[in-house]
Amino acid sequence: MPAVRLLLIGLSRFARRRVLPATPALDGIEAVDVASAHGGAVGELPKLGRRHTDWRAALDGTEPALVYVSTVNSTHAEVVRHALRRGHHVVVDKPAFLTLDTAEELVALARTQARVLAEATNYAFHPMFSPDLTKDITKAVAVFTPPVPPEDFRHDRSSGGGAFLDTGPYFASLGRVLWGVEPDDVHVIVGDRTPDGLELAYSVLAGYPGGRTIVGQFGFTTHYRNALQLLGPGVAVDVPRPFSAPPDLTVDLHIEVDGKHQTRSVPPADSMELFLAAVLDAVREGSREFDAALLSDARTRDRVVRAAGK
C-alpha cells in the first residue's frame, strides 16, 4: 500500500507534543495536513502539508486518508462520524466518545464503511508492557494525577470534561492491557467535584476474573503522580511513568522476586509512533483489531460512571 496523508484535526497540546513529532519516522505517512480553526504555528515538521481552518471542508476536500482527531472531547463523535462517512480511516484521542452507545454506533459505522477506527490508547504500545511484565501478577495499584488548571475544558461538563472521561481511559484499559480482561466488579468513590457536581478526582477498586484486582487513584486536583505497582505471589514490580513515558526516557523497572532485587532497563521508545505504525498496518491489512479495544474500554468506563452513581 502506498503511503497515505495524515489529516490532523485540532492542534491540542497533546497533538503538538506527541502526534506531530511521531510522524516523520513513519514511512507510511507521506504528508501531514492540519485543520485548526484557531491556526497557530505548527513548528518545524518535515512532512507538513496543507493547512485548513475548517475541518469539514478539509475532510470533504481530501481523498480518503488517515485522520487524527484531537479536538475537545464533546466534538469527537461529530468529527469522527463525518470522517467515516467521507471514507477516511480515523484515530481519535482518548476518550474516543462520551458514552458507550456512541462508541458502539461509530464502531458499527466503521465496520460498514470498511474503515479503521482506533482510540489513541498509545501508552499500551510502549515496550515496557511486554508479555512477561505481567507473569504471575494478580494485583495492580495505579496512580495517575496530572494536574489540570481550572480554566481548562476538562473542568467543563459541556465540553466533555470530568475525570471519568479525562483519566478514565487509563483505568478502563489497564486490565485489558495487563491481562486481556474486563472487570466483573467495580466500586468508585468520587473525591472532588466542581460546584455543579462534575467529578475531578476519584478512587476505584475493580475485581477481574481469576481473583485479580486493580486499585487506582485518578484525577487532576492533586500533585502529579504517574506510577504503577504490580504484585503477585513472591513478585513485585514498580513501573515509573507507565501512562505517559516520554520518547527519550529509559524506563527502569524495579523488580523484586523472592526477596531478590533487580532493575530491568527498557530503552527509550515513542509509544505514539509505535501505535500509529500499528494503525497503518491495520489500514494496509484491512484489520479490525482496534474495534475490540475501543469497545472494551468504553464498556469499562461506562461501568465506572454507573458505579459512581450508586
Side-chain angles (χ1 to χ4, degrees), residues 6-8 11 15-26 29-34 41-51:
L6 173 69
L7 172 59
L8 173 63
L11 271 176
R16 294 172 186 267
R17 189 176 70 251
R18 297 304 304 269
V19 181
L20 289 174
T23 57
L26 294 167
I29 294 176
E30 66 175 9
V32 179
D33 301 332
V34 178
V42 176
E44 295 295 326
L45 186 68
K47 297 181 181 180
L48 184 61
R50 297 185 291 264
R51 297 291 303 273

Side-chain angles (χ1 to χ4, degrees), residues 84-134:
L84 289 172
R85 287 174 175 168
R86 296 298 300 176
H88 300 286
H89 301 279
V90 184
V91 174
V92 56
D93 272 346
K94 306 177 300 295
F97 308 112
L98 305 189
T99 67
L100 175 57
D101 287 347
T102 305
E104 292 173 339
E105 173 212 339
L106 291 175
V107 168
L109 177 59
R111 288 171 176 166
T112 299
Q113 298 289 98
R115 291 296 180 263
V116 171
L117 174 59
E119 184 176 24
T121 315
N122 56 286
Y123 83 87
F125 287 76
H126 196 285
M128 75 172 88
F129 289 99
S130 60
D132 65 334
L133 178 67
T134 57

Side-chain angles (χ1 to χ4, degrees), residues 156-203:
D156 179 13
R157 187 185 303 277
S158 66
S159 297
F164 292 152
L165 289 171
D166 184 57
T167 61
Y170 296 98
F171 163 73
S173 60
L174 190 54
R176 173 179 61 80
V177 172
L178 295 177
W179 303 306
V181 295
E182 298 176 23
D184 47 27
D185 190 22
V186 177
H187 302 269
V188 176
I189 297 175
V190 176
D192 299 304
R193 296 183 184 270
T194 61
D196 70 347
L198 182 67
E199 76 290 337
L200 300 179
Y202 64 97
S203 303

Side-chain angles (χ1 to χ4, degrees), residues 69 144 215:
V69 180
F144 192 38
V215 177

